[in-house]
Amino acid sequence: MRALKRQPWGAHHPLTPAVVQSQQAVADFFHMGGHISRQVAVRDAVVALE
């Protein structure tokens, strides 16, 4: 969990494809570990504000 706290994620940083990919890896890890019950598609939760 300490490593996750060091990640520069959030609304104050642009959600680049690299950030989304990194967040997806974390979501997949939690899903495989049984911490979240279903698979999450992070890209489906990203809104483009352009």
Side-chain angles (χ1 to χ4, degrees):
M1 295 305 257
R2 185 177 299 168
L4 292 177
K5 290 179 183 178
R6 294 179 182 157
Q7 295 296 321
W9 300 338
H12 57 282
H13 292 282
L15 291 176
T16 64
V19 172
V20 173
Q21 183 179 17
S22 180
Q23 288 183 340
Q24 184 65 57
V26 172
D28 293 343
F29 178 77
F30 283 143
H31 174 67
M32 289 186 297
H35 300 288
I36 53 177
S37 59
R38 63 185 176 97
Q39 194 132 23
V40 173
V42 173
R43 72 177 175 276
D44 292 346
V46 175
V47 176
L49 299 176
E50 299 172 359

